[in-house]
Amino acid sequence: MTMTAPVERPWDRRAPERGGPPSAWALLPEDLAAHGCPGRPEHVFARLQRVRTWREDGSLFLSREIRAWLAGNADLALPAILERHPSADGSTKLVLGMTDGHRVEAVHMPRGEGDPRVTYCVSSQVGCALGCTFCATGAMGIVRNLTAGEIVGQVLALMLHMGPRLGENVYLVFMGMGEPLHNLAHVHRAITVLCHPEGAGLSPWRITVSTAGLVSGLEKLARMTPRPQLAVSLNATTDETRSATMPVNRAWNLARLRQALDAWELKRHERILFEYVLLAGVNDSLEDADRLAAWLGDLRHRHNVNLIPMNEHARAGFREPAEERVQAFAARLHQHGCFITVRRSRGRDVQGACGQLVRATAGTA
Ligand code: SAH
Ligand code: SF4
């Protein structure tokens, strides 16, 4: 008996060892063709990915023959929206359920009155392995990666239930649960599908991947196409403090991280976003601001620094600095010529803010 080795397509099945059908949401036109899908593959792909062409109830506008083929050959389950927690600031935290019962969280953030654009903060993993000591997701450890189908499905479910249905108005930030570069194959596959010209209409210009500084993944992503925008969670300016709060720094320290960023080519108008969570008495001194500016060095003109006062939660003992302290830190960076915004995290009143996303399975919080 001859056996053909299964084709390695890690992104298309939730659990390859279970041999389930591939997720319909992670298939590119060429995969549909290779699987024997009837009809023109680009057309079927467009109908799958373009939420604005779906019926109001979420069903697909495709011929009976193609729908029957899809039902038999692909997994059409979208993550379910289990909970919606609207915040006073206009954003909504959502709890999404995967078909195996695991839950992740996403945040829907409209720009404001009269502006059709919306930013989705999405998850890449259930939990996170990196264990940053200020982060609620880190405290729960890693449960599992999301597959590309689940990541694309997360975005399409948000478009269907929360809007907008037009992908051109969607901005995506991978700043929800998980370290996206720890799940690079699936995250990159999802970005490829979402940015396909026949697909949902997203663009790598409007997608930001945020990393805690996983240099091995960063160096791979730098060479990938499409390449999204980069955000780096810096959060400390000495190796001592950074290693104590972000264990990933023990593998790739500040100097190594900075070196990796030199290899991240920036096109015109591109910037690297640095997130800096201010922890009272830990990383919020004026000397920290000086060191941060020095570390940026010649990135001084190609960056934005987001200062994020710590969102306090039960799983971490850190405190948010006093307002004067935040302002003094920002002013000092400004003197050094840095570009800064102070991010009052959205969704704080519903625990939807940075580092507060922690829902693994039904019942846990
Ligand atoms: N793992 C990735 C992306 C998810 S975390 C990363 O670390 O970049 C998204 C952002 O939330 C990161 O910038 C992180 O530093 C920040 N964050 C984590 N815990 C926080 C907290 N308690 N308060 C404010 N921001 C927090
Ligand atoms: Fe993971 Fe990011 Fe939280 Fe660190 S800050 S534990 S990398 S999700």
Side-chain angles (χ1 to χ4, degrees):
M1 194 172 85
T2 54
M3 285 181 69
T4 42
V7 183
E8 188 57 38
R9 274 195 303 265
W11 50 82
D12 73 0
R13 286 177 175 76
R14 188 174 61 72
E17 70 280 5
R18 291 186 203 163
S23 167
W25 314 118
L27 297 178
L28 289 166
E30 52 267 37
D31 302 309
L32 288 163
H35 281 82
C37 178
R40 209 161 53 78
E42 287 77 17
H43 171 73
V44 178
F45 175 74
R47 287 295 160 108
L48 279 166
Q49 295 286 328
R50 292 187 182 169
V51 178
R52 64 182 182 279
T53 69
W54 298 2
R55 292 200 182 84
E56 217 33 56
D57 65 358
S59 61
L60 301 172
F61 203 68
L62 281 165
S63 74
R64 188 175 303 174
E65 185 201 8
I66 296 176
R67 274 187 287 132
W69 184 89
L70 283 169
N73 294 278
D75 179 1
L76 283 159
L78 272 184
I81 300 215
L82 302 177
E83 294 173 28
R84 294 172 197 226
H85 302 276
S87 155
D89 63 18
S91 63
T92 304
K93 184 182 88 166
L94 301 131
V95 178
L96 293 119
M98 303 297 135
T99 47
D100 65 354
H102 283 117
R103 295 170 171 216
V104 295
E105 299 186 348
V107 188
H108 178 267
M109 296 174 282
R111 290 282 171 107
E113 203 75 14
D115 189 333
R117 294 172 300 173
V118 174
T119 302
Y120 303 160
C121 174
V122 294
S123 294
S124 55
Q125 300 181 306
V126 184
C128 180
L130 295 192
C132 305
T133 54
F134 45 82
C135 174
T137 307
M140 67 185 270
I142 180 74
V143 179
R144 72 168 172 85
N145 283 334
L146 293 186
T147 65
E150 289 170 328
I151 297 169
V152 175
Q154 192 180 173
V155 174
L156 302 185
L158 286 166
M159 291 172 82
L160 176 67
H161 296 291
M162 304 295 296
R165 290 192 169 206
L166 200 63
E168 284 73 11
N169 287 330
V170 172
Y171 289 69
L172 211 59
V173 294
F174 281 88
M175 296 182 188
M177 290 169 70
E179 164 56 43
L181 299 188
H182 238 175
N183 186 17
L184 184 56
H186 290 271
V187 167
H188 192 262
R189 173 69 177 196
I191 292 172
T192 306
V193 170
L194 289 166
C195 297
H196 189 287
E198 304 289 330
L202 279 80
S203 153
W205 290 97
R206 300 191 298 269
I207 299 180
T208 302
V209 167
S210 175
T211 177
L214 201 75
V215 166
S216 54
L218 209 158
E219 288 179 338
K220 277 189 208 140
L221 183 61
R223 296 189 298 271
M224 291 170 106
T225 315
R227 201 203 64 180
Q229 306 304 301
L230 180 66
V232 176
S233 300
L234 196 59
N235 302 344
T237 62
T238 65
D239 280 323
E240 196 188 353
T241 305
R242 197 163 194 271
S243 293
T245 51
M246 302 181 73
V248 68
N249 194 69
R250 295 174 205 157
W252 294 283
N253 65 16
L254 281 162
R256 184 69 184 83
L257 175 60
R258 184 65 188 77
Q259 183 197 349
L261 296 179
D262 279 332
W264 183 272
E265 280 175 29
L266 290 169
K267 300 193 195 82
R268 250 161 69 85
H269 307 304
E270 280 187 327
R271 299 269 180 279
I272 297 179
L273 176 68
F274 292 97
E275 295 150 285
Y276 194 91
V277 181
L278 286 162
L279 310 169
V282 177
N283 65 359
D284 62 342
S285 70
L286 295 180
E287 293 71 40
D288 280 306
D290 296 341
R291 277 191 295 266
L292 172 48
W295 182 86
L296 285 170
D298 58 6
L299 265 175
R300 200 74 68 80
H301 305 292
R302 311 301 306 269
H303 78 279
N304 284 305
V305 180
N306 252 198
L307 296 177
I308 316 169
M310 161 83 188
N311 289 312
E312 297 178 10
H313 58 85
R315 296 182 184 215
F318 300 105
R319 292 283 159 259
E320 176 180 353
E323 183 60 27
E324 312 81 73
R325 191 107 173 153
V326 175
Q327 291 308 329
F329 194 92
R332 187 68 155 241
L333 282 180
H334 188 70
Q335 280 169 13
H336 283 296
C338 297
F339 302 94
I340 324 138
T341 45
V342 179
R343 190 159 87 198
R344 301 283 159 205
S345 284
R346 304 186 66 177
R348 274 183 165 208
D349 50 343
V350 292
Q351 299 278 299
C354 303
Q356 294 180 317
L357 303 179
V358 276
R359 206 60 77 91
T361 44
T364 60

